[in-house]
């Protein structure tokens, strides 16, 4: 029994020794840790030029294409209002009727004066004709003829004067019918039947606005206007080729107005208080979507840059001085910072005027690993990351 027990003990100790030896070999193999990984991957985009249409967004207000304030040209009592507030009226349509009684009397009096003056003209003309023949044969003196001729001219002047008075009375009588000066939509009336109005009073009776087309007045700073002109003169920007710049419109709720407009003109004087210039565009308004006084934002087409360089905003940072900086994958696949000059945003990108050239690789992804001077592995931005390396060895199943 002791011999058998000793044999089992020796065998057990041998097995433990072999196991410890194998474990020691395994520890030596793993002592070095995982194999060193390669340089970090960064997503880059190659710089290229492209054709970009540049626009600017400016705030503005709408105003009617035509507007007219209705005022009386003679005084009197409003007998009747002849339109519905808020309706469309036509040019020449009667809006108010002023009591015409006194003006009818004045017109009749003027006509009577005209008849009397014409009656006085007849004998004066006949006397001048008779004296003209008699003076030739010395039947009357030259003085008598001169007096007859002067009387004729005075009678003719009296006729002309009373005819002018008749025309004035006729015009005043016509002015008792207050008509619409333009076609359009009329607003509320400021007077009612029975109100007293006076000629050329400061308060308008009503206002008519033509809404089929609408003006949009926007303001642009003079400095921006000068930069635009310099860019066009230097060739950095080119005109779109159309005679009038197209304009798009954003309404106050942010929605886009469906119909485009055109830029009509820019003001010739700079506002001294704001340093801005007023631009006016015109838009068709067939459905009366635009109303006078609405706040809108106009998008003006400034020009086209044929060789524009755009860099996504996510790849641009700022240094302590506030200058724009991008990280590039440069020589020897190492990261290098590059200061650039940006002009404006175009969508989600910056328009770069200086600092980059075609072919430069700008880092957009992995900027936290892109330290200046460190080597990196550049991959196209947006590509799938490389799959991790497979495990070098798998544990061997122990045999039973």
């Amino acid at each position: 029994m002791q011999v058998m027990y000793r044999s089992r003990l020796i065998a057990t100790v041998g097995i433990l020794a072999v196991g410890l030896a194998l474990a020691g070999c395994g520890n030596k193999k793993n002592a070095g840790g995982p194999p060193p990984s390669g340089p970090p991957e960064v997503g880059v985009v190659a710089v290229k030029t492209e054709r970009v249409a540049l626009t600017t967004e400016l705030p503005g207000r709408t105003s009617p294409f035509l507007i007219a304030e209705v005022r009386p040209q003679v005084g009197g009592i409003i007998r009747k209002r002849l339109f519905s507030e808020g309706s469309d009226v036509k040019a020449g349509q009667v809006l108010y009727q002023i009591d015409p009684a006194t003006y009818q009397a004045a017109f009749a009096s003027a006509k009577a004066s005209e008849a009397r003056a014409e009656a006085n003209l007849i004998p004066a003309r006949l006397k001048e004709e008779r004296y003209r023949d008699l003076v030739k044969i010395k039947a009357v003196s030259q003085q008598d003829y001169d007096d007859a001729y002067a009387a004729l001219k005075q009678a003719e002047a009296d006729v002309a004067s009373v005819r002018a008075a008749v025309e004035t009375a006729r015009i005043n009588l016509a002015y008792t019918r207050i008509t619409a000066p333009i076609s359009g939509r009329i607003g509320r009336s400021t007077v009612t039947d029975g109100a007293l109005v006076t000629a050329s009073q400061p308060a308008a009776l009503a206002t008519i606005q033509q809404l089929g087309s609408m003006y949009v007045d926007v303001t642009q700073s003079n400095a921006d206007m000068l930069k635009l002109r310099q860019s066009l003169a230097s060739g950095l920007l080119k005109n779109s080729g159309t005679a009038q710049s197209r304009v798009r419109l954003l309404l106050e709720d942010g929605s886009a107005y469906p119909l485009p407009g055109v830029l009509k003109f820019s003001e010739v004087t700079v506002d001294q208080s704001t340093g801005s210039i007023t631009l006016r565009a015109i838009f068709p308004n067939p459905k009366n979507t635009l109303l006078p006084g609405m706040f809108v934002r106009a998008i003006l087409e400034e020009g086209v840059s044929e060789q524009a360089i755009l860099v996504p905003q996510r790849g641009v940072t700022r240094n302590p001085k506030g200058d724009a900086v991008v990280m590039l994958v440069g020589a020897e696949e190492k990261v290098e910072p590059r200061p650039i000059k940006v002009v404006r945003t175009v969508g989600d990108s910056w328009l770069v005027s200086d600092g980059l050239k075609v072919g430069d690789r700008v880092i957009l992804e992995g900027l936290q690993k892109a330290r200046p001077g460190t080597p990196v592995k550049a991959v196209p931005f947006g590509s799938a990351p490389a799959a991790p390396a497979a495990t070098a060895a798998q544990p061997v199943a122990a045999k039973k």
Side-chain angles (χ1 to χ4, degrees), residues 69-72 190-191 197-198 200-206:
E69 293 182 337
V70 180
R71 287 186 173 87
T190 61
V191 297
V197 296
T198 58
S200 304
Q201 64 183 33
L205 304 182

Side-chain angles (χ1 to χ4, degrees), residues 105-369:
F107 178 69
S109 175
K111 290 292 289 182
S113 298
E114 180 185 20
R116 184 171 57 252
E118 289 177 348
N120 293 332
L121 176 61
I122 295 173
R125 179 179 293 117
L126 294 175
K127 184 176 181 180
E128 187 274 335
E129 291 175 354
R130 288 195 302 269
Y131 276 35
R132 187 191 311 161
D133 295 333
L134 294 174
V135 74
K136 293 178 181 179
I137 60 175
K138 307 295 183 179
V140 294
S141 66
Q142 184 66 39
Q143 182 62 47
D144 291 336
Y145 172 74
D146 293 342
D147 293 340
Y149 182 77
L152 172 62
K153 292 300 179 182
Q154 183 175 355
E156 290 176 346
D158 291 340
V159 171
S161 177
V162 294
R163 284 178 179 172
V166 169
E167 183 64 15
T168 300
R170 186 195 63 79
I171 292 173
N172 288 336
L173 179 60
Y175 281 160
T176 59
R177 293 162 56 90
I178 302 176
T179 59
I182 61 173
S183 299
R185 180 162 295 180
I186 192 166
R188 64 184 181 88
S189 175
T190 61
V191 297
T192 60
D193 296 352
L196 174 65
V197 296
T198 58
S200 304
Q201 64 183 33
L205 304 182
T207 301
I208 302 173
Q209 301 179 95
Q210 197 171 97
L211 307 179
S213 297
M214 294 290 289
Y215 285 125
V216 174
D217 296 325
V218 298
T219 55
Q220 184 179 37
S221 69
N222 187 43
D224 291 343
M225 181 69 75
L226 292 176
K227 288 180 182 178
L228 174 60
R229 290 177 178 175
Q230 290 172 0
S231 298
L232 292 172
S234 63
L236 182 62
L237 289 179
K238 294 182 179 179
N239 287 325
S240 59
T242 57
Q244 294 177 319
S245 299
R246 292 172 64 85
V247 186
R248 291 179 289 116
L249 207 61
L250 296 178
L251 302 180
E252 196 167 1
D253 61 355
S255 61
Y257 184 65
L259 301 176
V262 293
L263 185 65
K264 298 297 291 184
F265 77 96
S266 62
E267 189 58 81
V268 296
T269 304
V270 178
D271 189 336
Q272 297 181 5
S273 61
T274 61
S276 60
I277 298 175
T278 300
L279 309 177
R280 169 164 281 189
I282 186 171
F283 286 82
N285 189 33
K287 296 182 179 180
N288 291 339
T289 303
L290 301 177
L291 298 176
M294 289 178 61
F295 175 80
V296 294
R297 299 190 68 85
I299 302 176
L300 280 68
E301 294 182 358
E302 293 186 349
V304 176
S305 178
E306 299 288 351
Q307 301 292 326
I309 293 178
L310 298 179
V311 175
Q313 295 183 24
R314 64 181 295 169
V316 180
T317 58
R318 297 281 178 175
N319 61 18
K321 295 181 179 180
D323 299 328
V325 177
V326 295
M327 293 294 182
L328 304 179
V329 177
E332 301 179 358
E333 299 298 307
K334 292 184 178 180
V335 178
E336 63 178 57
R338 177 79 60 81
I340 61 174
K341 291 182 179 180
V342 294
V343 180
R344 61 164 72 188
T345 58
V346 179
D348 61 351
S349 301
W350 283 106
L351 176 63
V352 180
S353 62
D354 190 23
L356 291 177
K357 63 181 182 297
V358 176
D360 286 341
R361 293 176 292 173
V362 179
I363 299 176
L364 299 184
E365 191 174 32
L367 285 171
Q368 66 277 8
K369 299 178 288 186

Side-chain angles (χ1 to χ4, degrees), residues 32-55:
S37 61
E41 288 187 356
V42 292
V44 300
V45 63
V47 174
K48 61 181 180 179
T49 60
E50 53 186 300
R51 186 178 186 271
V52 176
L54 300 181
T55 61

